[in-house]
Amino acid sequence: MVIEMPYHPLPIDQSDVHYVHGPDSVVQPGVPAGETIAFDWHGSAICPGTFRKFWVHVPAQYDPTEPASLMVFQDGWWYLDPEGQVRGATVLDNLMHCGDIPVTIGVFVDPGIFPNAANPKNRNNEYDAFDDRYASFLLREIIPQVTERYAIAQAPERWGI
């Protein structure tokens, strides 16, 4: 079945555009909430001079004897913010509770900033580069911080970004 929708251009200023949240984006009664732990990261060899925060969301169903799946989110806090547009940890908790996804640890990584710089944001350099630096950064610097603390499945089909 094909549903045709008329084209409607988005307004140039999208500050008033808000999407309606579905049921997976709100805290549901009876769904156990996972724990979210905040980390600071500086001293990167791959993104030198940057500082960033990242958060690890560990689901209530996590069992250290059973490796969990892994989902990495860029723009960390924007995707994690429980009052924000995405509410990633809430969505993960709801999807795991109803069995739509396996037990999954979420890693929410903010883009790097250069503290005290006139233009501190490094987001475009990290996300829009035509090389493997950001993937290497995740694989060599951030994800090892997670795998040191939690059992993560090694099978690539159990990882996502």
Side-chain angles (χ1 to χ4, degrees):
M1 169 188 259
V2 175
I3 299 173
E4 292 189 20
M5 303 289 291
Y7 171 75
H8 293 286
L10 290 174
I12 292 174
D13 176 10
Q14 295 185 30
S15 61
D16 290 335
V17 175
H18 298 282
Y19 295 96
V20 176
H21 288 103
D24 292 329
S25 296
V26 294
V27 174
Q28 300 291 326
V31 174
E35 178 184 13
T36 303
I37 301 114
F39 295 88
D40 292 336
W41 185 252
H42 49 81
S44 173
I46 297 171
C47 302
T50 61
F51 168 84
R52 75 191 68 236
K53 288 188 161 296
F54 72 96
W55 297 262
V56 176
H57 183 74
V58 182
Q61 300 91 331
Y62 173 70
D63 175 353
T65 65
E66 295 290 327
S69 294
L70 179 72
M71 180 63 71
V72 177
F73 296 82
Q74 295 175 282
D75 293 315
W77 182 250
W78 192 87
Y79 279 87
L80 180 60
D81 183 355
E83 301 299 320
Q85 293 295 308
V86 178
R87 304 173 183 181
T90 301
V91 172
L92 289 173
D93 287 340
N94 287 327
L95 293 176
M96 282 181 272
H97 181 73
C98 70
D100 285 347
I101 63 172
V103 173
T104 302
I105 289 181
V107 179
F108 298 81
V109 184
D110 267 353
I113 61 166
F114 294 103
N116 305 316
N119 184 9
K121 295 180 180 180
N122 198 43
R123 183 184 187 279
N124 289 358
N125 291 330
E126 293 176 8
Y127 295 175
D128 301 336
F130 292 102
D131 57 31
D132 67 350
R133 279 181 296 161
Y134 189 72
S136 296
F137 167 72
L138 291 174
L139 291 169
R140 294 185 196 151
E141 296 186 12
I142 297 297
I143 292 173
Q145 298 298 310
V146 179
T147 59
E148 284 177 8
R149 293 167 173 84
Y150 307 101
I152 303 295
Q154 294 302 306
E157 63 271 13
R158 303 252 331 253
W159 287 29
I161 186 167

